[in-house]
Structures are given as C-alpha cells and as structure tokens.
Amino acid sequence: MTFPFPRTALAILAFAAPGLAGAHVVPNMTVEANFAAEGGYSLRINVDPRTFLAADPTTLPPVPGSWYREQTPEQLAATHEKAGEYLSRALGLLFGGQKTPFPNWAIQAIDGENNTPLTAETQEVHLLASAKGRVPAGAASFQIDFAKDANTTLILLPSHGGKAAPRPQVIFPGETSRAYPLETSPPAPTTVVAPAPASQQPASLFSLGLVITLSVAVLFLIVGWRLLRRYRHHHRAHHWPRPDDVNN
C-alpha cells in the first residue's frame, strides 16, 4: 500500500527500518458504542494509522504527531478518506443480526497516548472517528462483524445510557462480537377514558343533589312545624264557647 508521507515523517520511519521486523507492538482498535433509551446511538473509534498504512502494521513504528501536522490540506483529506475506507471495510454493524450501512464519519487527530487533542508535543498520533445514528426499528441487539483482513485486534466497549457493560469484548479478525442487548424504552401507552353514559351522573353531582334534597326536606319540616304551632295557638285563643260554658 502506498501513501503520501511528509518528508520528516518519512525520514523518521526510514531511520527506524533496520529493526522493523517483529520489533513493534501490534496496534489495536477501540470501539466505544453508546446506546440511548430513545433509540439513538453514537460510535467513537480509536484508529492507529498503521492499520491502513501497511498490510502488516507491525512493520511500522508508532506514527509520530509530526506526520499528521505536516500534511497539506489535500493530504489530510486523503488520510481521512483512507481511514474511512479502512473502517467501512474492516467493520460491519449488525443490528438484530442484520448488517446496517455505516453513518457518516467525522475524523480528527488525537494524541495516541492519552486520547487528547493533537498538540505540538504529541509523540504518537491516532485518529478518532465519530458517528451517530438511529437503531433500526425492532432491533434488539448489536454486534460488530470484524473482517479477516482487519490486520489488528478490536476492543469493543458497549454502553447504555452512559453505563458501560460489565466486561469489554476482545475481537480478532474474522470474528463477530457477542450480541449486546439493546434496551429501548417502549412508547408510553395511551389510555382512552370512555365517556360516562348520559343517564349516569358523576358521583360528585349525585352527592350535591342529595344534600340539596335533604336540606329542602328539613326546611319544609321546620316551616310546617311552625305553621302548625301558630294554627293551634290561634285556634285556642278564638274557639267558639261550648254549651257547658253558656249554662254556667
């Protein structure tokens, strides 16, 4: 594989060439996959440039930060394109066992030692590919299908709502990761309340009607009792004399 190197970086790699064979640590790729309850997901993939700069990454030393910093805008665009092509070829996203196309990537350079943004002091450069997407409807699991020619190992760190899985997965070229269950929140059920029949009055109205009826009944009793007393009093005061009263 050929690739445009800036002169400084090319010189550094050439200088290290005498001890290349088996002398360098095998790079790996880290994939952070975070899933949200509402169905969205985000991917963050830490890529060592050696994985797409050489068929055998161990034949190259760690890529220095100057290799990236000294590239022209055109070379940087080519670097990002190469990285994207490698990821699309090496990684397959499986939702519910079905392969899903990759979302669009955003690629930036980072410090390979501490995963912070690239600086003038960065000794080893990595690339961070970020992407966001939506879980296909009905998918209950997530997996990564790792290509046989990926020429590195993969560490998968899945999480849900920011809570990481108990153990990361280590995947070798040609393998498929274990299914990671997706916990998506079902839509809230809609409860429809049937209207009360026309003949059925609400309990509150029934109670109010009962109170009014009892109040009216009590009022009638009080008024009737007072009218009865007044009638008796009037009758006693103006009654006709009896025959016994006349004879006496």
Side-chain angles (χ1 to χ4, degrees):
M1 179 182 295
T2 60
F3 195 80
F5 277 84
R7 293 182 179 178
T8 303
L10 184 60
I12 293 176
L13 295 180
F15 179 77
L20 288 179
H24 302 291
V25 177
V26 178
N28 59 54
M29 181 190 308
T30 302
V31 178
E32 299 177 19
N34 184 40
F35 298 90
E38 65 273 12
Y41 71 88
S42 62
L43 299 174
R44 287 167 51 89
I45 304 179
N46 188 321
V47 184
D48 190 317
R50 290 180 290 170
T51 56
F52 59 85
L53 293 180
D56 182 3
T58 61
T59 61
L60 293 179
V63 180
S66 57
W67 170 82
Y68 188 90
R69 291 193 303 268
E70 294 180 5
Q71 292 188 46
T72 65
E74 292 76 16
Q75 290 173 329
L76 288 177
T79 297
H80 293 178
E81 183 178 358
K82 287 285 185 181
E85 291 175 353
Y86 169 76
L87 291 175
S88 298
R89 184 180 73 254
L91 301 178
L93 302 183
L94 302 179
F95 288 97
Q98 300 297 320
K99 195 168 184 178
T100 304
F102 267 101
N104 293 327
W105 297 105
I107 299 179
Q108 67 181 98
I110 60 173
D111 191 304
E113 295 181 355
N114 51 31
N115 297 334
T116 58
L118 186 69
T119 66
E121 289 74 30
T122 296
Q123 297 299 313
E124 179 182 352
V125 64
H126 282 190
L127 297 181
L128 178 66
S130 304
K132 293 183 178 181
R134 300 286 303 177
V135 175
S141 63
F142 169 76
Q143 293 171 280
I144 286 184
D145 184 22
F146 206 31
K148 292 182 179 180
D149 60 349
N151 62 30
T152 186
T153 56
L154 185 150
I155 300 175
L156 175 60
L157 304 171
S159 62
H160 179 266
K163 183 179 179 181
R167 292 180 300 174
Q169 297 188 41
V170 179
I171 310 167
F172 294 92
E175 295 183 344
T176 300
S177 67
R178 299 188 304 272
Y180 177 73
L182 301 179
E183 304 173 9
T184 55
S185 300
T190 303
T191 304
V192 179
V193 180
S199 59
Q200 182 180 358
Q201 299 295 331
S204 59
L205 294 180
F206 176 78
S207 301
L208 179 60
L210 180 61
V211 171
I212 294 176
T213 302
L214 292 177
S215 300
V216 171
V218 172
L219 180 62
F220 272 108
L221 288 176
I222 294 175
V223 172
W225 179 69
R226 288 186 177 181
L227 290 176
L228 180 61
R229 287 187 59 189
R230 181 173 296 180
Y231 171 78
R232 289 180 176 178
H233 176 76
H234 178 78
H235 181 74
R236 289 177 180 175
H238 301 86
H239 70 277
W240 294 98
R242 293 180 300 179
D244 294 340
D245 294 338
V246 174
N247 293 333
N248 296 332

